[in-house]
Amino acid sequence: MLQAAPKNVHIYLESNPNPNSLKFVVNEMLVPEAMSFDFPNAESASISPLAQELFSFPFVDRVFFASNFITVTKKEDVEWLEIQSTLKEYIKKYLEAGKFIIEIKDEEVVHAGEETETVKKIKTILDEYIRPAVEQDGGAITYHSFNEGIVKVRLQGSCSGCPSSMVTLKAGIENLFTRMMPGEVKAVEALG
C-alpha cells in the first residue's frame, strides 16, 4: 500500500492542454517512479481511497496519479475557478493526514517477458523523450504493443479526452518515432 506520511504538504496547480483537466503538483512522490494510475470513473477506483473520495465531488469526471501529481478532470458544466480551491484544500488535508493513496497488490505488477531490440528502442524513446513531456501536461503514455510497424500506446490522465491529444500523437510522437526509427516504425496509434 502506498500511504502519505503525515507532514506539511504543498500543492501548486498547473494547467495543461486539456481545458477540463488540472494538475495538482505535490512536494512529495505519490506513486513509484514510472508508475501511473488512471481512474476514468468511480467504479474503477476501488484500489484508491483517495480517488474514491475525489469522485464523491459531483464535478469530478476522472482522476489520475503519477509520480508527484494528481490530475483531475472535471465535468464540462463547471468552471475551474469555482472548484479548484476546494479540490486543492481537500487533497492537501488528505495527504497531510497520512491516509492511504492507493493499494497495489503484488499480482498487479506485470513482469515483461523477452523483448526484441525494436521494442527496447521503442520503450527507451518513450521513457526518455516522450513520457516527460506528457507528464508535464498532466498525463501519461505507456507502451502497449508493436506489430507490423505500428506502435500502440495508451494515453492516460489529462490526455484522455484532450482535444489536442491526437494532433500531439500524430504530429509529435509519430513524427519522432519515424525519424528515430526509420523503416521500423510506420505509425503510432492510441488505444481507446
Side-chain angles (χ1 to χ4, degrees):
M1 283 202 182
L2 299 176
Q3 181 176 8
K7 63 178 112 266
N8 194 11
V9 173
H10 299 285
I11 299 176
Y12 68 89
L13 309 177
E14 284 185 3
S15 59
N16 57 67
N18 184 344
N20 290 321
S21 292
L22 192 60
K23 187 174 167 185
F24 295 79
V25 183
V26 181
N27 64 325
E28 66 178 64
M29 293 301 284
L30 299 173
V31 298
E33 190 67 34
M35 287 186 85
S36 62
F37 300 90
D38 192 22
F39 305 106
N41 52 48
E43 295 75 36
S44 67
S46 63
I47 64 168
S48 174
L50 176 54
Q52 288 175 349
E53 289 192 26
L54 290 172
F55 276 116
S56 71
F57 290 100
F59 46 77
V60 172
D61 199 39
R62 184 180 207 111
V63 177
F64 175 76
F65 301 126
S67 59
N68 70 329
F69 67 89
I70 300 167
T71 298
V72 176
T73 303
K74 67 172 182 65
K75 298 202 184 294
E76 290 189 24
D77 62 346
V78 67
E79 296 299 321
W80 276 117
L81 284 176
E82 299 169 19
I83 62 171
Q84 67 188 24
S85 295
T86 301
L87 285 172
K88 180 180 176 184
E89 215 31 58
Y90 190 86
I91 292 168
K92 179 177 172 34
K93 285 180 182 174
Y94 187 97
L95 295 176
E96 284 180 338
K99 295 180 182 179
F100 285 104
I101 298 167
I102 198 155
E103 184 178 334
I104 304 171
K105 296 179 178 107
D106 288 339
E107 62 266 16
E108 290 172 2
V109 178
V110 178
H111 300 285
E114 282 291 314
E115 294 181 340
T116 65
E117 285 304 310
T118 301
V119 169
K120 288 178 184 175
K121 281 199 281 190
I122 289 168
K123 287 183 174 183
T124 298
I125 291 169
L126 276 172
D127 288 343
E128 292 181 11
Y129 296 95
I130 299 166
R131 184 171 288 118
V134 172
E135 282 187 358
Q136 182 127 13
D137 284 343
I141 185 169
T142 55
Y143 171 83
H144 180 269
S145 60
F146 176 72
N147 189 22
E148 296 181 10
I150 299 180
V151 176
K152 291 192 178 180
V153 295
R154 183 168 279 117
L155 298 173
Q156 299 174 307
S158 67
C159 297
S160 299
C162 176
S164 62
S165 65
M166 285 306 117
V167 172
T168 300
L169 184 71
K170 291 298 180 184
I173 297 168
E174 185 175 277
N175 219 4
L176 181 68
F177 271 113
T178 55
R179 271 196 341 263
M180 295 182 83
M181 298 179 70
E184 291 177 276
V185 173
K186 299 173 190 161
V188 177
E189 296 176 0
L191 296 175

